[in-house]
């Protein structure tokens, strides 16, 4: 079943203001990623700025969007990955935030930053979201 009349090649999501210090903002990007991926639309999520901390072991697992929300942020992230979303960490953000790239959670597919995201933004066949 197709949900769109004119399918796109993919959706790139930039996590810029998704700060672990504000967990109420963290579930929504992954819900959107999971929904798009479940619709068989390729999804790439680019972690930049403080959002790279979510890829460090234990961080996303310790956060919930609210006390009422049963899922952790890691649960929501994994749901998106299970549906096919691919996660990329910005090397510059990892360095700036002091996050060791060698210890990232296994759901992270590799490195990707400004150049990769902007290539998607400039491609008419892709859509972009910024959280």
């Amino acid at each position: 079943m197709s949900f769109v009349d004119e399918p796109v090649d993919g959706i790139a999501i930039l996590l810029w203001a998704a700060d672990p210090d504000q967990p109420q903002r963290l579930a929504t990007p992954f819900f959107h990623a999971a929904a798009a991926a479940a619709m068989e639309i390729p999804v790439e999520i680019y972690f930049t700025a403080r959002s790279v901390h979510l890829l460090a072991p234990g961080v996303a697992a310790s956060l919930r969007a609210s006390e009422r929300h049963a899922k952790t942020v890691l649960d929501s992230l994994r749901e998106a990955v299970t549906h096919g979303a691919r996660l990329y960490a910005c090397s510059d953000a990892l360095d700036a935030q002091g996050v060791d790239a060698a210890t990232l959670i296994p759901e992270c597919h590799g490195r990707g930053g400004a150049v990769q995201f902007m290539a998607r933004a400039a491609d008419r066949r892709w859509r972009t979201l910024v959280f």
Side-chain angles (χ1 to χ4, degrees):
M1 172 181 207
S2 178
F3 290 91
V4 293
D5 293 331
E6 297 179 32
V8 297
D9 284 358
I11 296 176
I13 298 173
L14 180 69
L15 298 184
W16 172 70
D19 189 323
D21 290 339
Q22 297 179 319
Q24 71 276 12
R25 296 182 176 189
L26 300 178
T28 301
F30 301 115
F31 290 157
H32 283 81
M39 295 167 55
E40 299 183 0
I41 299 170
V43 176
E44 297 174 351
I45 305 174
Y46 294 88
F47 291 74
T48 187
R50 288 191 39 79
S51 74
V52 296
H53 288 280
L54 298 173
L55 299 173
V59 175
S62 69
L63 300 171
R64 294 184 191 282
S66 78
E67 292 177 17
R68 294 175 154 186
H69 195 66
K71 293 180 184 178
T72 66
V73 172
L74 182 62
D75 293 334
S76 298
L77 179 151
R78 285 183 172 158
E79 187 173 285
V81 171
T82 297
H83 284 293
R86 298 188 57 81
L87 312 181
Y88 298 101
C90 173
S91 296
D92 288 339
L94 291 170
D95 185 52
Q97 295 297 318
V99 177
D100 183 358
T103 65
L104 299 180
I105 60 175
E107 290 81 4
C108 183
H109 292 91
R111 306 298 165 273
V115 172
Q116 292 82 4
F117 182 78
M118 290 311 299
R120 295 305 193 199
D123 188 331
R124 290 185 213 185
R125 297 164 300 188
W126 278 71
R127 302 296 180 267
T128 58
L129 295 170
V130 178
F131 288 92

